[in-house]
Amino acid sequence: VSKACPLAGYRKGIQTIGGQSGLAPKFLITGESNLIEPRQGDGSIIENFFAQLFYTEEQINYFKAWLKVSVNQLQEGIIASGPVLCLCSKRGYGKSAFLSLISLIFGGRNADARETLLKEAKFNDDLAGAETWFLDDVVSPENHQQRERLASLVKRVAATPYESVEAKNKGRFTV
């Protein structure tokens, strides 16, 4: 075993990650997300919340499709790059409450990605162990350069099949 740590999307136990068969490093995954079990019920409260948060039924349908694919990947243990959910609106529209709900749906492990993505912090192991990352109210709409940089970083994170992880006093590894 080359490392012991929690890694987003992986189940507890010894996992072979990346590389060629037989040569790939083995990791002891020390934690996993605690996905909630869906139950049939009256969804009117959440549907009303979605109607206030999103502008159109089409946006709600895109969100539900993204959610279904993402939750299914977690349930099945499928590790893949994919779409990123970005919410933009004025303050007070319920984005932070919505992010809390998303975090619960994905098992409750989340991390604030501000330090790593915007300030180029060296240590990012908290992100590696979280299924949901937040960047809540961090970029000024007037700062075009900062918005461009953030867009580039989000694209890199969403599209890159591997990531370098570094924890303080523990060295760097790639997953």
Side-chain angles (χ1 to χ4, degrees):
V1 173
S2 56
K3 289 283 180 194
C5 59
L7 285 177
Y10 289 93
R11 305 251 195 286
K12 278 186 191 178
I14 296 178
Q15 301 284 343
T16 302
I17 300 174
Q20 297 176 345
S21 181
L23 301 175
K26 293 188 185 296
F27 289 80
L28 173 59
I29 307 302
T30 58
E32 63 185 65
S33 65
N34 185 19
L35 294 172
I36 60 173
E37 289 292 323
R39 284 190 279 176
Q40 189 69 32
D42 175 22
S44 61
I45 293 173
I46 195 78
E47 291 293 338
N48 287 336
F49 180 60
F50 289 166
Q52 292 174 5
L53 187 67
F54 297 103
Y55 292 110
T56 67
E57 189 68 31
E58 183 180 33
Q59 288 178 335
I60 294 171
N61 290 336
Y62 279 121
F63 163 70
K64 287 179 179 178
W66 170 84
L67 183 63
K68 180 177 177 26
V69 168
S70 300
V71 169
N72 284 345
Q73 285 179 329
L74 271 176
Q75 289 170 331
E76 300 298 322
I78 298 168
I79 306 300
S81 54
V84 173
L85 177 66
C86 295
L87 301 174
C88 302
S89 73
K90 296 178 183 175
R91 291 180 188 255
Y93 277 74
K95 295 181 306 293
S96 295
F98 183 72
L99 292 175
S100 295
L101 175 64
I102 294 297
S103 177
L104 290 173
I105 290 170
F106 285 108
R109 297 192 307 178
N110 58 68
D112 187 335
R114 278 183 282 207
E115 292 293 316
T116 302
L117 293 181
L118 296 176
K119 298 179 181 175
E120 298 183 25
K122 188 173 181 180
F123 307 114
N124 64 350
D125 58 317
D126 58 331
L127 299 182
E131 282 75 16
T132 53
W133 298 3
F134 299 129
L135 285 163
D136 197 9
D137 293 331
V138 296
V139 177
S140 168
E142 293 82 30
N143 190 330
H144 181 72
Q145 186 177 17
Q146 193 177 31
R147 285 194 343 252
E148 288 289 322
R149 183 169 178 271
L150 177 60
S152 174
L153 290 168
V154 168
K155 180 181 177 183
R156 188 193 91 212
V157 167
T160 304
Y162 56 87
E163 187 63 39
S164 181
V165 178
E166 188 164 357
K168 191 171 188 174
N169 298 322
K170 294 188 179 178
R172 178 183 296 228
F173 62 95
T174 301
V175 292

